[in-house]
Amino acid sequence: MQETRQNKVARLLQKELSLIFQQQTRATHGVMVSVTRTRVSPDLSVCTAYVSIFPSERGEEILAGIRANERTIRYELGTRVRFQLRIVPELRFFLDDSLDYIEHIDELLKQ
């Protein structure tokens, strides 16, 4: 069970990461990256972020690019939250495929 502090930090990181991705994906037209959920470890040192990528066909390619630029994203995040957090957590990104799963279930129910 997450504590109140973990939830507040997770919401802050989700908001700031989504703003960072929004700025970075303006250059690439036709791609939308959104942060669906973040989880923070109890010692606030690791942040696990689940990203949803549209179109989902390019999901693995874009996620590989995000993972390659983790240090840059962490630095950008650090400049945004430097007055709220003492230590910027290590970032881990995973693909959130729940929307694809829901779409698949809807297609099966229509048949």
Side-chain angles (χ1 to χ4, degrees):
M1 186 171 114
Q2 288 194 335
E3 299 295 324
T4 306
R5 174 92 173 128
Q6 284 177 273
N7 290 333
K8 286 182 180 179
V9 170
R11 281 194 306 265
L12 173 71
L13 294 176
Q14 180 178 359
K15 182 183 121 196
E16 295 299 333
L17 282 172
S18 65
L19 291 174
I20 290 170
F21 288 137
Q22 183 180 10
Q23 287 178 345
Q24 289 182 352
T25 56
R26 276 195 191 129
T28 59
H29 298 289
V31 176
M32 186 173 74
V33 178
S34 59
V35 181
T36 56
R37 184 176 32 168
T38 54
R39 300 226 183 243
V40 180
S41 65
D43 61 351
L44 304 178
S45 65
V46 177
C47 173
T48 304
Y50 295 91
V51 293
S52 177
I53 300 171
F54 180 81
S56 59
E57 295 82 33
R58 295 182 59 193
E60 291 297 326
E61 170 193 345
I62 293 173
L63 185 64
I66 289 172
R67 287 181 176 159
N69 293 322
E70 267 182 18
R71 298 182 82 186
T72 310
I73 296 169
R74 185 176 180 199
Y75 175 78
E76 177 80 23
L77 184 65
T79 59
R80 291 171 176 259
V81 298
R82 65 179 167 214
F83 297 118
Q84 288 101 355
L85 296 176
R86 182 177 297 169
I87 297 172
V88 179
E90 175 187 337
L91 299 173
R92 295 183 184 159
F93 294 102
F94 294 99
L95 191 61
D96 184 17
D97 58 352
S98 60
L99 294 176
D100 295 333
Y101 180 72
I102 291 170
E103 185 178 314
H104 177 69
I105 295 295
D106 284 342
E107 288 176 11
L108 289 176
L109 289 174
K110 287 179 183 177
Q111 293 178 355

